[in-house]
Amino acid sequence: MESEAMVVAEELVKDYGGFRAVDGVSFRIARGELFSLLGPNGAGKTTTIKMLSTLLRPTSGEAWIAGYSIVREPGNVRRVIGLVPQDLTADDEMSGWDNVYIQARLYGLPSSEARERTREVLDYLDLMEAAHRRVATYSGGMRRKLEIAMSLVHSPKVLFLDEPTLGLDVHSRRSLWRYIEDLKRSAVTILLTTHYMEEAEMLSDRVAIIDRGRIVAEGTPEELKARVKGETVYIELKDPEYTEPLVLALKEKLGLEPSVVEGKVAVRVDRADTLLPELARALNGFPVKAISITRATLEDVFIELTGRTLGGSEEPLDPFRYRRMIRGVR
Ligand SMILES: Nc1ncnc2c1ncn2[C@@H]1O[C@H](COP(=O)(O)OP(=O)(O)OP(=O)(O)O)[C@@H](O)[C@H]1O
């Protein structure tokens, strides 16, 4: 095993009865890296995290966390990991402080150190002001932060975050992202699962796209997006009467194959920047209101690979049509 790899998963398989939820998943996460499993509901993300955090025994395969085998050394694994599960675990009737403090004591920290760490992690997550209130009075975002505080109190080397922003509003999600980015700087190794592509794109050093229990692609967000070639240039006109003439002009003058998406003329090209000078000439005389360029997103990569969206629809879709729909609404 590489000394720098803090998480190594090799051919992990999990069957629930006759159903294979995780089907031979392998990856490595280097020390201090944030690695995301991105996939729709039911892809096998939670099951993978449960195996790595020793809550579920794999049907076959192995994994090592900080060098400890999840199969043969589960006790050692538990000491070096922190887990923020999807189902929140804090006791609603107790204060935030007590939840974190009890967690610290459960990890064997002596009382004075447990108090110190409780204060540190609550402070870090900006929860000190609310520390002595019952958790029942916390907002959704505060609850998630409390779960993170609980998972950090024993200074884990590896942190598992299972859909950490699920169900949060946009504001709370963005605020939580800032804490996760901060954690990255503190050299904790993080495995995050999500079905929000912006989240994976924003936070991850590397992403594995998971679908139906299998990793279908892996790389940095940039590498993955480079798999979906091209960009789309949208031209919005002040007067819709010119839409068809513009489509014709772009076909004839530039040999392009434009389509019309939500009233805008859309052109898919390898590189928009090199097209712009010619495009500007071709647009001369047309009443242009706006020109926008969109690049591929991780959602496009998922659609390209699976024909489905991250929303988890089981309906196979025409990838190009769907890509256009998604771009159209952004
Ligand atoms: N205890 C179980 N018994 C039977 N099937 C299960 C069990 N737990 C999960 N599954 C199934 O295994 C598959 C993977 O589930 P898992 O929870 O790992 O997916 P996920 O990617 O984390 O999705 P979600 O974000 O919805 O939790 C799903 O089809 C799910 O229905």
Side-chain angles (χ1 to χ4, degrees):
M1 197 179 101
E2 291 162 29
S3 61
E4 279 304 286
M6 289 297 278
V7 178
V8 178
E10 271 180 14
E11 289 296 320
L12 284 175
V13 170
K14 183 68 194 178
D15 292 338
Y16 292 116
F19 175 71
R20 183 150 290 190
V22 173
D23 189 9
V25 159
S26 305
F27 54 83
R28 284 167 178 260
I29 312 178
R31 189 189 303 271
E33 198 175 27
L34 192 151
F35 184 86
S36 294
L37 288 175
L38 172 69
N41 291 336
K45 306 181 297 292
T46 300
T47 304
T48 303
I49 280 210
K50 282 188 175 165
M51 287 190 279
L52 294 175
S53 54
T54 77
L55 296 175
L56 269 182
R57 204 181 157 84
T59 304
S60 64
E62 241 297 19
W64 293 267
I65 313 289
Y68 298 119
S69 155
I70 59 163
V71 178
R72 285 173 286 106
E73 301 161 286
N76 287 332
V77 170
R78 280 178 210 159
R79 268 190 287 281
V80 296
I81 63 168
L83 169 64
V84 178
Q86 234 176 72
D87 303 321
L88 305 182
T89 58
D91 186 325
D92 260 12
E93 294 309 315
M94 292 197 312
S95 67
W97 176 281
D98 286 348
N99 270 289
V100 179
Y101 179 77
I102 288 170
Q103 190 80 3
R105 296 289 285 159
L106 285 174
Y107 273 105
L109 269 64
S111 57
S112 62
E113 200 183 329
R115 268 198 301 278
E116 197 178 311
R117 275 300 289 164
T118 300
R119 183 178 303 281
E120 263 175 34
V121 291
L122 286 173
D123 201 31
Y124 175 62
L125 286 145
D126 295 318
L127 283 174
M128 261 323 277
E129 237 173 72
H132 296 288
R133 266 170 40 198
R134 279 188 317 138
V135 172
T137 67
Y138 284 19
S139 68
M142 289 165 80
R143 279 166 188 255
R144 291 282 166 177
K145 290 202 294 182
L146 181 64
E147 295 288 334
I148 295 178
M150 288 165 68
S151 74
L152 288 175
V153 75
H154 60 298
S155 312
K157 292 183 175 166
V158 177
L159 183 63
F160 297 115
L161 299 171
D162 193 5
E163 296 265 8
T165 65
L166 189 71
L168 295 184
D169 59 46
V170 177
H171 175 75
S172 310
R173 177 171 301 155
R174 285 182 191 280
S175 137
L176 210 61
W177 287 353
R178 283 200 291 276
Y179 293 101
I180 296 173
E181 280 182 326
D182 262 7
L183 274 176
K184 262 170 77 171
R185 284 191 278 275
S186 71
V188 183
T189 303
I190 302 175
L191 172 61
L192 175 144
T193 75
T194 185
H195 69 276
Y196 297 118
M197 61 108 188
E198 315 94 292
E199 186 159 296
E201 203 164 329
M202 181 97 168
L203 297 174
S204 316
D205 297 308
R206 278 187 309 129
V207 178
I209 296 182
I210 183 166
D211 183 44
R212 296 178 174 165
R214 292 187 147 272
I215 290 179
V216 292
E218 190 189 315
T220 65
E222 286 308 316
E223 282 165 359
L224 289 172
K225 285 186 290 183
R227 296 173 68 132
V228 181
K229 283 211 180 71
E231 296 169 312
T232 305
V233 181
Y234 289 97
I235 304 151
E236 195 178 348
L237 295 168
K238 288 181 193 145
D239 183 347
E241 287 221 344
Y242 287 89
T243 304
E244 277 315 308
L246 177 59
V247 168
L248 276 176
L250 293 178
K251 271 186 185 164
E252 282 166 13
K253 290 187 193 164
L254 302 182
L256 297 169
E257 287 178 34
S259 53
V260 180
V261 180
E262 300 193 339
K264 296 177 191 170
V265 177
V267 191
R268 212 164 140 68
V269 290
D270 282 346
R271 285 186 54 181
D273 55 352
T274 53
L275 177 77
L276 285 179
E278 283 179 86
L279 189 64
R281 278 193 291 276
L283 286 172
N284 195 13
F286 284 97
V288 177
K289 185 173 171 191
I291 298 178
S292 57
I293 298 167
T294 61
R295 296 184 56 207
T297 66
L298 288 180
E299 175 109 26
D300 297 326
V301 182
F302 187 81
I303 293 166
E304 187 100 341
L305 289 166
T306 67
R308 284 169 297 115
T309 67
L310 285 165
S313 161
E314 286 303 307
E315 285 288 307
L317 290 158
D318 164 33
F320 187 61
R321 183 174 67 85
Y322 221 90
R323 209 177 298 139
R324 279 198 324 219
M325 279 169 53
I326 289 165
R327 291 206 164 111
V329 296
R330 274 207 305 265

